[in-house]
Amino acid sequence: MHEWTKDSLLMIGCSLTRQLQRPAHSTLFPLPHSPSKAPPCALPLCPSLSSIAAARHRHHPMASSPIFVGLPTFLLLLLLATSGLFGQATGAVAPGPESAPLNLTGILEKGGQYGTFLRLLKETQVGEQIESQLNNSFNGLTIFAPTDNAFNNLKPGTLNSLTTQEQVSLVLYHVLPRYYTLSTFETTSNPVNTQASGSSGVYTVNITSSSNQVNVSTGVNETPVNNILHLDFPLAMYSVDKVLLPPELFGAKPPATSPPPAVAPEKPNKGTPAADGPSASAEAAPSAASPEGRSAERVLLLWIGLACMGSLL
């Protein structure tokens, strides 16, 4: 659609005024012409409306009527009004500035005391995962960032004793899957899931709020929420003075059950032969079925026979 400019509107207005300056016989409505009077004088290229009315009144008295004087004014105002509407309709709306993606590393570096947490975010690659989720999230995220002093207060070797997957779970345990302000903490229902919870319902925290003080409890330790590092949707980040220790990693483990002691076999007494084994005398005596047993039986029978013969004699 054609966009009207000030120059084009000025030319149209001047053209309309020239039409009004023509003799009466050339207009749409014939006007009486007085031959005794001089022809209309030449007017400037774009005269004012008052000069047009005065000239028309000198040469054509009827031209000074309200109809002829108001017509060019009405047309000019109509063109100006419509051109403004056209300009608004056809003018391109400049797009607003696009919001820059959140820089999680920049926010923590600006705080100046979160070097260990930054290192864990980088080594576990959880930082890239969080930034990607923040730029494509409808619920936002809340992060509890432990200070370097919080990590220094852990027992020596605590982080090194964890596996890579356990370190990932520890970092995700400090991230809530929603955007929480200090006021929304007051209406939170416990337990609260973390990014490490998954669908198993573990790795949860309890959040309590009273007198503008928010505390986070894990079941192993508890810490207050201190400074606000960032509070603009979709990211809320708070500073904490303790590392949140999940009971799944740092809770008291039940003692390992020892296997029952092995029962030693009973040793038979020296004076009593075993119930299921052959006796010593039986082992020493030859069996009747053996050749030695048969020879002994014959000797015995021979002695019995001799004794009987001796008694008869």
Side-chain angles (χ1 to χ4, degrees):
M1 185 178 292
H2 179 70
E3 184 177 357
W4 299 96
T5 61
K6 294 182 179 180
D7 294 338
S8 59
L9 291 175
L10 186 59
M11 294 178 62
I12 293 173
C14 294
S15 176
L16 289 174
T17 54
R18 289 195 186 97
Q19 291 292 333
L20 293 176
Q21 294 174 10
R22 291 182 179 178
H25 64 271
S26 62
T27 59
L28 182 61
F29 301 99
L31 299 176
H33 177 65
S34 176
S36 59
K37 294 184 179 181
C41 60
L43 295 176
L45 180 60
C46 186
S48 62
L49 294 178
S50 58
S51 60
I52 294 173
R56 296 294 290 177
H57 179 71
R58 287 196 304 268
H59 300 284
H60 304 288
M62 291 184 63
S64 60
S65 63
I67 297 177
F68 293 99
V69 175
L71 181 59
T73 305
F74 171 75
L75 293 176
L76 185 59
L77 293 176
L78 180 62
L79 287 174
L80 291 173
T82 54
S83 65
L85 294 177
F86 290 156
Q88 292 179 2
T90 58
V93 179
E98 296 182 358
S99 58
L102 286 171
N103 185 359
L104 185 63
T105 302
I107 296 173
L108 291 172
E109 287 179 347
K110 185 178 179 180
Q113 52 179 345
Y114 305 96
T116 306
F117 191 55
L118 273 170
R119 178 174 60 83
L120 285 175
L121 288 171
K122 183 178 180 180
E123 292 178 354
T124 59
Q125 298 181 353
V126 174
E128 297 178 3
Q129 175 185 343
I130 292 176
E131 287 184 348
S132 176
Q133 188 171 351
L134 282 173
N135 296 319
N136 300 279
S137 175
F138 294 99
N139 296 323
L141 295 175
T142 300
I143 299 177
F144 298 114
T147 61
D148 291 335
N149 289 333
F151 283 100
N152 293 333
N153 291 331
L154 294 176
K155 293 181 179 180
T158 299
L159 295 180
N160 294 332
S161 64
L162 300 177
T163 64
T164 302
Q165 183 57 43
E166 288 174 343
Q167 290 183 1
V168 171
S169 299
L170 178 63
V171 176
L172 291 176
Y173 191 62
H174 291 74
V175 183
L176 306 183
R178 278 190 55 190
Y179 175 81
Y180 287 96
T181 62
L182 294 177
S183 58
T184 54
F185 278 135
E186 299 177 358
T187 58
T188 302
S189 299
N190 290 314
V192 180
N193 287 336
T194 65
Q195 286 291 89
S197 298
S199 58
S200 58
V202 295
Y203 288 94
T204 59
V205 296
N206 292 326
I207 299 177
T208 57
S209 177
S210 61
S211 302
N212 297 326
Q213 179 63 53
V214 178
N215 295 324
V216 184
S217 174
T218 68
V220 178
N221 61 349
E222 183 177 358
T223 181
V225 175
N226 294 326
N227 300 330
I228 299 176
L229 301 179
H230 186 86
L231 192 60
D232 188 14
F233 187 84
L235 174 63
M237 185 182 297
Y238 303 95
S239 177
V240 290
D241 291 335
K242 292 183 181 179
V243 179
L244 302 179
L245 303 178
E248 289 79 6
L249 297 179
F250 300 94
K253 296 179 174 58
T257 56
S258 58
V263 179
E266 296 181 358
K267 295 181 180 181
N269 295 330
K270 293 182 179 181
T272 305
D276 55 351
S279 61
S281 60
E283 291 178 357
S287 175
S290 61
E292 293 82 0
R294 286 194 296 268
S295 60
E297 185 179 356
R298 289 173 184 170
V299 171
L300 181 61
L301 291 175
L302 179 61
W303 279 102
I304 292 174
L306 291 176
C308 289
M309 288 179 64
S311 63
L312 290 177
L313 293 175

